[in-house]
Amino acid sequence: MADGGSVQMSTTAKPTDSDDSGDCRVPVQGYDVHNSGDDGNSGIIEVVATVASLVLLVITLPFSLLFTFKVVQEFERAVIFRLGRLRSGGARGPGVFFVLPCIDTYCKVDLRTVSFDVPPQEVLSRDSVTVHVDAVVFYRVDCPILATNNVHDYSHSTRLLAATTLRNVLGTRNLSEILSEREAISHNMQSSLDEATDPWGVKVERVEIKDVRLPVQLQRAMAAEAEAAREARAKVIAAEGEMKASRALKEASDIISESPSALQLRYLQTLNTISAEKNSTIIFPLPLDIISPFLKGFAGPARSE
């Protein structure tokens, strides 16, 4: 207890009980939910104010009922403060709840999943390439009490944190990793965001890399590189095909050389193929062994003369 009857604040976190009303086990920063200062002058002032509020409620019946009964939807929770202090029992809702006039205030928190676009960030990758990247983040409020007490504006804070986390995560990756490992980058960013927003009562459900835009000059250089790589692969494939074809021709020539009749059958098959194409000119190669006797006959008389 501080001097002068000041309110006792807790420096250590104590978890609250979890129930269906939207409470959670993560502590509120700088506030002890179980010991909210119900002693000394503060406790007396709260009792007096509560009694006065009840008297005012009874005097102004039934008009006061319009201001004391509140309704929250199925997807909403209400966090109630009495004289500036968080009321015990966690967040109220869904349905009807009761507040005392003049001393109770409340704020509604939407528990539905919210999505937002991270503005395009100009990121310098690890290999010194500038890229423009934007992403989509899906989050929801997991603990209404933390969302209202531990951060001023959880939505705006989550958006700013998502932008800075995107730059930090992409700054540790190469350009090739950014283009090919989007799923791993998204999972890493989601884990970092979820860990950072956990004290705020915010649960980051999913992060997706939306688009990666490269400079025009870099796009041209990558296109030229890809075209050169494809041409190199095409030349290698053509060379491998020629090598396999030459081996097959060598094996076929070895088989044909074992039988002269096989060569004649091959000639006839070639003629049949040519005639099927309806060509007017047919070239028929003659074997050298047929022409060689005639060449020898012409060569003999010429030497005798």
Side-chain angles (χ1 to χ4, degrees), residues 66-79:
L66 301 176
F67 303 97
T68 56
F69 288 98
K70 306 294 181 180
V71 179
V72 291
Q73 304 296 328
E74 181 69 30
F75 52 85
E76 294 177 335
R77 295 296 183 271
V79 180

Side-chain angles (χ1 to χ4, degrees), residues 1 9 29 42 84 104 106 145 168 203 221 236 239 274 276 281 288 300 302:
M1 173 69 68
M9 304 300 291
Q29 296 177 358
S42 299
D104 284 352
Y106 72 97
I145 296 178
N168 294 336
K203 172 67 176 178
V236 171
I274 294 174
T281 302
L288 294 178

Side-chain angles (χ1 to χ4, degrees), residues 2-276:
D3 295 338
S6 60
V7 180
Q8 181 180 359
M9 304 300 291
S10 174
T11 57
T12 59
K14 292 184 179 181
T16 59
D17 296 332
S18 176
D19 53 20
D20 295 336
S21 62
D23 202 355
C24 55
R25 294 185 177 273
V26 184
V28 179
Q29 296 177 358
Y31 189 85
D32 193 344
V33 178
H34 297 284
N35 186 9
S36 57
D38 292 337
D39 53 352
N41 296 334
S42 299
I44 297 174
I45 293 174
E46 183 175 353
V47 172
V48 172
T50 303
V51 173
S53 179
L54 292 175
V55 172
L56 179 63
L57 175 64
V58 173
I59 294 175
T60 58
L61 282 175
F63 300 102
S64 59
L65 297 179
L66 301 176
F67 303 97
T68 56
F69 288 98
K70 306 294 181 180
V71 179
V72 291
Q73 304 296 328
E74 181 69 30
F75 52 85
E76 294 177 335
R77 295 296 183 271
V79 180
I80 305 176
F81 299 90
R82 176 163 295 176
L83 294 177
R85 293 190 182 90
L86 179 67
R87 288 193 59 185
S88 61
R92 289 355 186 231
V96 181
F97 63 95
F98 179 80
V99 294
L100 291 177
C102 302
I103 64 172
D104 284 352
T105 58
Y106 72 97
C107 59
K108 293 182 181 180
V109 179
D110 197 331
L111 302 183
R112 292 176 293 183
T113 300
V114 180
S115 62
F116 65 90
D117 293 328
V118 180
Q121 303 295 318
E122 187 175 357
V123 182
L124 184 65
S125 62
R126 190 170 62 180
D127 51 355
S128 301
V129 178
T130 302
V131 293
H132 294 266
V133 184
D134 54 354
V136 182
V137 178
F138 300 86
Y139 75 94
R140 61 179 174 84
V141 176
D142 191 49
C143 181
I145 296 178
L146 299 184
T148 56
N149 289 272
N150 285 4
V151 63
H152 173 65
D153 188 348
Y154 66 88
S155 178
H156 182 65
S157 300
T158 303
R159 293 171 187 269
L160 293 179
L161 183 62
T164 56
T165 304
L166 178 62
R167 290 196 298 268
N168 294 336
V169 171
L170 295 181
T172 60
R173 302 286 183 133
N174 295 326
L175 177 62
S176 58
E177 296 175 350
I178 295 176
L179 297 176
S180 60
E181 300 180 3
R182 292 191 180 187
E183 184 176 356
I185 294 174
S186 300
H187 181 71
N188 189 9
M189 184 177 173
Q190 186 267 334
S191 300
S192 300
L193 277 176
D194 191 25
E195 182 179 358
T197 57
D198 187 62
W200 302 344
V202 175
K203 172 67 176 178
V204 179
E205 296 180 339
R206 190 177 183 87
V207 177
E208 292 292 340
I209 301 297
K210 191 176 180 181
D211 188 19
V212 179
R213 292 189 295 274
L214 304 177
V216 178
Q217 295 180 353
L218 183 59
Q219 293 180 9
R220 294 175 181 175
M222 294 179 64
E225 180 183 1
E227 184 178 358
R230 291 190 183 95
E231 291 180 356
R233 287 197 299 269
K235 291 180 180 179
V236 171
I237 293 173
E240 292 178 353
E242 292 291 339
M243 181 178 61
K244 293 180 180 180
S246 61
R247 289 179 180 176
L249 289 175
K250 180 180 179 300
E251 294 176 358
S253 63
D254 294 340
I255 296 174
I256 292 176
S257 63
E258 296 176 358
S259 175
S261 59
L263 183 60
Q264 298 296 330
L265 293 175
R266 183 60 182 166
Y267 288 158
L268 295 176
Q269 184 179 6
T270 304
L271 287 176
N272 186 21
T273 303
I274 294 174
S275 62

